[in-house]
Amino acid sequence: MHVYQMRAEYADGVSSGPVRWWHMVRDNGTTALCGRELDETAAIVSDEQWGKTAEPFCHTCGALYLRQVP
Ligand SMILES: [Zn+2]
């Protein structure tokens, strides 16, 4: 049983400033479900925030997440 979190990808490539996308990761990891490598210092929030953030969510991660979490 995995625990999912959302991790930020930043528009300027550093772990600050505006969030470009939220990706979904497993168990506080740095590899998104879509395969994207994310910075370990990037912001991480509960997957309960899925669909509630102001910033867009990675569509690939969203599709994979919905397939894995009933
Ligand atoms: Zn993604």
Side-chain angles (χ1 to χ4, degrees):
M1 187 71 181
H2 291 290
V3 178
Y4 292 85
Q5 294 84 25
M6 293 161 55
R7 193 183 281 278
E9 176 187 341
Y10 295 93
D12 55 8
V14 297
S15 297
S16 63
V19 173
R20 176 186 283 165
W21 299 105
W22 287 100
H23 293 270
M24 194 66 77
V25 300
R26 270 195 292 255
D27 306 324
N28 292 308
T30 55
T31 304
L33 299 188
C34 66
R36 182 110 191 165
E37 285 294 332
L38 300 169
D39 199 297
E40 64 182 359
T41 63
I44 199 161
V45 298
S46 164
D47 65 343
E48 291 178 6
Q49 294 302 308
W50 188 82
K52 299 176 184 171
T53 56
E55 301 86 4
F57 192 86
C58 170
H59 293 277
T60 305
C61 279
L64 291 168
Y65 173 67
L66 291 176
R67 200 179 303 163
Q68 293 180 31
V69 179

